[in-house]
């Protein structure tokens, strides 16, 4: 029995041995494969593997199965879709050149813009925000229109308002970004992503106002020039007009937005479109029946200009470039180029630098703190100065008041003396008067006495006389 | 403000001679604007720039961290497989090492960085063993913050922040140990943690359930927040989805990079004398759920949570700390001297 068990055991062991042998061979094969792959990747990447490891450089690795992160772009897109997109367009052009109509046509909505008058004293900007939705994509669209551009007699300040508006949007974004408690992912981005500059269809060349405005804006925003009301120009004139415009822009150093050509999927179409700039557009919200369907068009007695017909105008190209192909790139350029430039300039203007005098890296906070200390110091100094001045003034005032008091006192004394003099004079006079009265009274009394005496004497004499007389008898 | 609901299913033929191939059928609609093409643009841009993902694995040695990473990404991404003369040594202190790889699948390029923490929990005295890890995570945030605040910034700031931290729990079957609780509590505040039960093939299904319940109870009792955090659910849909995930946390995983034959198919599995544990079989272990959560459905969400929530929290704290000296970056009108902060 034991031997049988033994033999069984032996066969089992044999079986397991072969199995494990197979397994090891198999695993060796796999390991070899992996090692081979590894070696290949080592060879392909760089000769010095150790240095690479120390550099912590990423080495390319091949996967032996499906991991699943190819759904990453989808995850990203889903997240963005739920958040919604934001796009801001600025339309610059003279009054009545067709900005609002073009926007209506472009986005297939009636944006309810009323006509503006030609008598605006200054250029104003009017921004309106709309929520659009197409299938499952939500777009928060802001259209900014210039009101009264090119209407004034003196157009020197026209561009300034536009530049200020763009700067204000950058500024508010910068403020939000530098806040301590911020919510950037919820922030309604109001920076201008694209600027459509409407060129009047004169057929000759750009106006000087156009050149000046575009030159001021080219470093702040993506400019896409369009020729408005293109149905007034014939094809040959249009061709010459476009060439003239582009050459003028180039010779004046205006950098308009170039559609990106580095991505293979869109480079072909973008290069083609770059050659068609500026786009000659016609806008219309009215529909005309052509054949058996309704198209957006303008009806003239001599024919119908179809907006979406590529032979008639470049509207489709504009829509394609602005929305379908390059919207994301426009937003990216605004954020990474124009906004960064603004930010850098603004912060450098305020005195922040990346490296200080000894070219050691200095962080924003250090500079800020240094500035703040400086500011506080200055404030304190000014406070001290003010305090000194205050004390001085108080002293002066005090002296003045004392002086005045003394004067008053002197005056008072003088007046008192005067009064005293007067009083004594009056007293004197009174005494004199009284003396006189007394004298007069005395005299009067004396006179009366004398009179009385005289009367008495007279009476006596009369009496005597009477007696005498009577005595005679 | 008004809404425009355009229905692109209206097919109206239109005379349009030119136009790129993929858009001709769209041009057929009368009211077409083209806003939804922005999704394609976004996708193209994302594929061109590629993605970055940084994952950190934390756990005691011998729990199968490297193997799990290799299984997850189906290639030798762990540090062990990269260094030619690797020897398994117990480190005296916790120090972190990161290895980066560029992997590509169907045109999508991803730069994956795996950060390993050898030495965690291996010493006799494990006090403050989480400190090097916390320091590392904060250093990455600091680097990003500094780059973001500099005047001349790069177009794309290199993102080395830890997007996800996988914490390996040993399959004791009892409850969370003090070191686990301490670590999870501290790191749950600064990074998204996904706890997993390692080497789950030592537990039966019932034991796993018990263990999971106890762990969930412990997590709640200690107010530890693991990914997906309840507070960051955006809407009801998200909440339902995430609740389902939260019921299954922590995932019981098994890792391997060996393949065996089962019923004629080659599967990843561990072969033992009593059977083959298939890693990708949902009945055997929860590796598939873990992988799906991490890679196929929530990878972008992990990055977003790190960027929008954890990084912002760090930034607020950091800028407020310097505010103790009276510093705040919000008032830029310091030059005019008007607003005294």
């Amino acid at each position: 029995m034991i031997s049988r068990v033994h033999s069984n055991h032996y066969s089992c062991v044999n079986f397991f041995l072969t199995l494990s042998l197979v397994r090891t061979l198999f695993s060796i094969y796999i390991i070899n494969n992996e090692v081979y792959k590894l070696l290949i990747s080592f060879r392909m990447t760089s000769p010095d593997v150790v240095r690479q490891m120390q550099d912590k450089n990423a080495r390319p690795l091949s996967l032996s199965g499906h991991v699943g992160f190819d759904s990453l772009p989808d995850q990203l897109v889903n997240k963005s879709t739920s958040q919604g997109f934001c796009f801001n367009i600025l339309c610059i052009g003279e009054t009545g050149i067709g900005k609002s109509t073009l926007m209506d046509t472009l986005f297939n909505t009636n944006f309810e813009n009323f006509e503006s008058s030609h008598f605006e004293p200054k250029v104003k900007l009017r921004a309106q925000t709309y929520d659009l939705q197409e299938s499952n994509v939500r777009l928060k669209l802001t259209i900014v229109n210039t009101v009264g551009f090119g209407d004034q007699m003196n157009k020197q300040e026209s561009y300034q308002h536009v530049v200020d508006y763009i700067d204000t949007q950058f500024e508010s974004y910068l403020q939000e970004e530098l806040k301590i408690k911020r919510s950037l992912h919820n922030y309604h981005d109001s920076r201008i992503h694209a600027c459509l500059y409407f060129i009047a269809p004169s057929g000759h060349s750009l106006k000087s106002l156009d050149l000046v405005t575009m030159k001021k804006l080219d470093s702040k925003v993506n400019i896409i020039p369009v020729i408005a009301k293109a149905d007034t120009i014939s094809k040959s004139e249009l061709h010459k007009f476009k060439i003239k415009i582009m050459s003028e822009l180039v010779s004046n150093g205006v950098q308009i937005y170039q559609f990106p050509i580095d991505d293979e999927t869109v480079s072909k179409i973008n290069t083609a479109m770059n050659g068609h700039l500026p786009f000659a557009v016609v806008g219309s919200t009215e529909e005309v029946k052509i054949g058996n369907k309704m198209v957006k068009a303008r009806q003239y007695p001599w024919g119908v200009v179809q907006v979406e017909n590529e032979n008639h105008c470049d509207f489709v190209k504009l829509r394609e470039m602005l929305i379908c192909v390059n919207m994301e790139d426009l937003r990216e350029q605004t954020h990474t180029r124009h906004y960064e430039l603004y930010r850098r300039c603004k912060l450098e203007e305020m005195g922040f630098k990346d490296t200080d005098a000894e070219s050691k890296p200095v962080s924003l906070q250090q500079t800020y703190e240094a500035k703040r200390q400086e500011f506080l110091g200055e404030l304190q100094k000014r406070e001290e100065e003010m305090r000194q001045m205050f004390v001085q003034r108080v002293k002066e005032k005090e002296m003045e008041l004392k002086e005045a008091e003394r004067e008053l006192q002197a005056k008072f004394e003088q007046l008192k003396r005067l009064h005293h003099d007067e009083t004594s004079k009056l007293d004197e006079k009174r005494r004199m008067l009284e003396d006189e009265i007394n004298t007069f009274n005395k005299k009067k009394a004396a006179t009366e006495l004398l009179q009385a005496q005289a009367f008495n004497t007279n009476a006596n004499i009369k009496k005597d006389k009477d007696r005498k007389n009577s005595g005679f008898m | 403000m008004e809404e425009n609901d355009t229905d692109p299913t209206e097919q109206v033929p239109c005379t349009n001679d030119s136009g790129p191939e993929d858009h001709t059928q769209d041009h057929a609609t009368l009211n077409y604007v083209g806003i939804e093409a922005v999704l394609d643009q976004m996708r193209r841009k994302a594929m061109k720039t590629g993605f970055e993902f940084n994952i950190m694995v934390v756990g005691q040695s011998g729990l199968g961290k490297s193997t799990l990473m290799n299984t997850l990404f189906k290639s030798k991404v762990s540090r062990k497989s990269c260094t030619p003369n690797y020897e398994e040594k117990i480190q005296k202190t916790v120090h972190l090492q990161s290895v980066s790889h560029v992997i590509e699948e169907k045109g999508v390029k991803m730069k994956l960085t795996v950060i390993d923490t050898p030495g965690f929990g291996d010493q006799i005295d494990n006090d403050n063993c989480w400190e090097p890890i916390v320091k590392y995570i904060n250093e990455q945030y600091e680097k990003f913050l500094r780059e973001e605040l500099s005047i001349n910034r790069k177009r794309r700031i290199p993102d080395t922040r830890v997007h996800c931290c996988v914490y390996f729990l040993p399959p004791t079957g009892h409850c969370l140990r003090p070191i686990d609780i301490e670590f999870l509590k501290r790191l749950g505040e600064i990074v998204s943690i996904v706890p997993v039960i390692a080497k789950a093939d030592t537990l039966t299904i019932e034991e796993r359930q018990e263990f999971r319940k106890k762990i969930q109870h412990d997590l709640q009792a200690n107010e530890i927040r693991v990914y997906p955090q309840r507070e960051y659910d955006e809407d009801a849909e998200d909440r339902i989805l995430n609740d389902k995930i939260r019921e299954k946390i922590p995932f019981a995983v098994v890792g391997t990079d060996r393949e065996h034959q089962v019923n004629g198919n080659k599967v990843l599995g561990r072969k033992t004398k009593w059977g083959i544990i298939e890693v990708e079989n949902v009945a055997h272990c929860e590796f598939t759920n873990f992988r799906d959560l991490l890679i196929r459905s929530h990878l972008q969400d992990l990055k977003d949570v790190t960027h929008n929530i954890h990084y912002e929290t760090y930034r607020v704290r950091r800028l407020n700390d310097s505010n103790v000296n009276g510093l705040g970056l919000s008032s830029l009108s310091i030059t005019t001297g008007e607003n005294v902060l």
Side-chain angles (χ1 to χ4, degrees), chain A residues 174-188:
Chain A
L174 183 65
Q175 293 277 2
E176 180 66 31
E177 196 186 25
L178 288 181
K179 269 201 209 160
I180 296 192
K181 264 200 161 61
R182 63 188 189 180
S183 58
L184 267 184
H185 56 281
N186 277 338
Y187 181 70
H188 172 51

Side-chain angles (χ1 to χ4, degrees), chain A residues 273-435:
Chain A
M273 291 299 176
N274 272 331
H276 280 121
L277 277 174
F279 295 124
V281 293
V282 175
S284 167
T285 42
E286 290 160 0
E287 288 181 6
V288 172
K289 200 175 175 71
I290 302 274
N292 56 349
K293 52 183 167 63
M294 305 290 282
V295 292
K296 289 194 279 246
R298 285 176 66 77
Q299 178 141 55
Y300 291 109
W302 49 88
V304 180
V305 179
Q306 295 163 35
V307 168
E308 280 173 341
N309 189 337
E310 299 242 9
N311 291 330
H312 290 193
C313 74
D314 294 333
F315 173 79
V316 176
K317 294 198 182 80
L318 174 69
R319 182 176 62 192
E320 186 94 5
M321 284 292 106
L322 190 64
I323 303 175
C324 306
V325 179
N326 293 312
M327 194 188 323
E328 192 57 36
D329 184 69
L330 282 163
R331 281 153 40 116
E332 194 184 332
Q333 289 283 349
T334 310
H335 181 69
T336 50
R337 197 144 59 98
H338 301 293
Y339 170 70
E340 284 297 312
L341 184 68
Y342 174 81
R343 180 179 176 270
R344 204 178 316 143
C345 290
K346 189 76 199 284
L347 291 178
E348 273 175 8
E349 187 186 296
M350 296 205 304
F352 293 106
K353 288 190 292 290
D354 267 342
T355 61
D356 62 5
E358 297 108 45
S359 17
K360 276 203 306 256
V362 152
S363 81
L364 201 74
Q365 281 168 285
Q366 280 174 283
T367 329
Y368 195 83
E369 177 137 19
K371 269 195 175 306
R372 190 171 187 275
Q373 295 299 347
E374 195 184 304
F375 175 68
L376 278 180
E378 203 182 298
L379 210 66
Q380 254 180 322
K381 205 164 49 143
R382 256 196 271 165
E383 201 179 326
E384 267 308 310
E385 267 176 47
M386 285 192 106
R387 196 173 302 141
Q388 295 286 14
M389 216 163 44
F390 181 68
V391 169
Q392 184 100 346
R393 281 250 187 91
V394 165
K395 273 210 188 99
E396 276 175 28
K397 205 66 189 231
E398 212 178 324
M399 293 191 81
E400 253 176 61
L401 282 172
K402 273 217 177 90
E403 194 61 53
E405 197 182 342
R406 240 179 290 136
E407 256 177 56
L408 266 169
Q409 191 83 345
K411 236 190 192 159
F412 178 64
E413 296 281 311
Q414 196 192 23
L415 275 175
K416 203 159 131 194
R417 234 179 303 127
L418 256 164
H419 180 248
H420 195 252
D421 282 344
E422 288 276 307
T423 330
S424 55
K425 257 198 218 143
L426 277 172
D427 271 342
E428 184 84 44
K429 267 208 180 125
R430 187 165 11 115
R431 225 180 316 121
M432 271 175 52
L433 198 66
E434 272 185 10
D435 281 346

Side-chain angles (χ1 to χ4, degrees), chain A residues 173-182 184 339-340 343-348 350-355 361-369, chain B residues 140-154 157-158 161 307 311-312 314-320 322 327-330 332:
Chain A
Y173 191 85
L174 183 65
Q175 293 277 2
E176 180 66 31
E177 196 186 25
L178 288 181
K179 269 201 209 160
I180 296 192
K181 264 200 161 61
R182 63 188 189 180
L184 267 184
Y339 170 70
E340 284 297 312
R343 180 179 176 270
R344 204 178 316 143
C345 290
K346 189 76 199 284
L347 291 178
E348 273 175 8
M350 296 205 304
F352 293 106
K353 288 190 292 290
D354 267 342
T355 61
V362 152
S363 81
L364 201 74
Q365 281 168 285
Q366 280 174 283
T367 329
Y368 195 83
E369 177 137 19
Chain B
Q140 306 314 306
Y141 286 147
E142 180 68 28
K143 229 194 281 184
F144 195 86
L145 181 66
R146 190 156 301 145
E147 186 60 42
E148 197 189 27
L149 283 182
S150 69
I151 310 290
N152 290 317
R153 328 194 260 208
K154 302 202 188 90
I157 305 177
R161 303 171 291 188
H307 180 67
Y311 171 67
E312 290 293 319
Y314 174 79
R315 184 175 175 276
V316 169
R317 198 162 29 101
R318 181 82 168 75
L319 294 181
N320 269 335
S322 11
L327 191 66
L329 282 178
S330 55
L332 284 179

Side-chain angles (χ1 to χ4, degrees), chain A residues 41-57:
Chain A
S41 62
F42 278 3
R43 208 176 341 127
M44 281 200 307
T45 48
S46 130
D48 203 350
V49 176
V50 177
R51 188 161 34 108
Q52 217 175 22
M53 286 302 129
Q54 284 168 356
D55 283 352
K56 288 209 178 110
N57 259 345

Side-chain angles (χ1 to χ4, degrees), chain A residues 59 67 75 79 110 131 133 135 177 179 265 323-324 327-328 332 340 343-344 354 365 368 372, chain B residues 2 4 36 41 45 102 105 150-153 295-296 300-301 304 315 322 326-328 341:
Chain A
R59 31 184 283 261
V67 178
Q75 291 180 33
K79 206 140 229 159
N110 185 3
D131 276 329
Q133 179 159 353
S135 60
E177 196 186 25
K179 269 201 209 160
T265 21
I323 303 175
C324 306
M327 194 188 323
E328 192 57 36
E332 194 184 332
E340 284 297 312
R343 180 179 176 270
R344 204 178 316 143
D354 267 342
Q365 281 168 285
Y368 195 83
R372 190 171 187 275
Chain B
E2 47 186 358
N4 179 28
E36 54 178 358
Q41 298 169 29
K45 190 167 71 119
V102 171
E105 193 176 55
S150 69
I151 310 290
N152 290 317
R153 328 194 260 208
I295 299 177
R296 292 192 187 165
Q300 187 60 36
D301 191 48
D304 283 342
R315 184 175 175 276
S322 11
L327 191 66
L341 321 132

Side-chain angles (χ1 to χ4, degrees), chain A residues 105-108 132-135 137 139 319-328, chain B residues 4 6 8 23 26-27 29-41:
Chain A
T105 327
L106 206 58
F107 290 102
N108 253 328
L132 303 178
Q133 179 159 353
E134 190 176 73
S135 60
V137 179
L139 180 72
R319 182 176 62 192
E320 186 94 5
M321 284 292 106
L322 190 64
I323 303 175
C324 306
V325 179
N326 293 312
M327 194 188 323
E328 192 57 36
Chain B
N4 179 28
T6 56
H23 283 307
D26 287 327
H27 280 178
T29 64
L30 196 58
N31 294 323
Y32 172 74
V33 178
I35 300 178
E36 54 178 358
V38 76
L39 297 179
D40 279 334
Q41 298 169 29

Side-chain angles (χ1 to χ4, degrees), chain A residues 241-254:
Chain A
F241 190 33
K242 280 192 186 181
I243 294 178
K244 189 86 205 303
I245 291 179
M246 291 310 278
S247 68
E248 275 196 346
L249 288 175
V250 164
S251 64
N252 279 293
V254 175

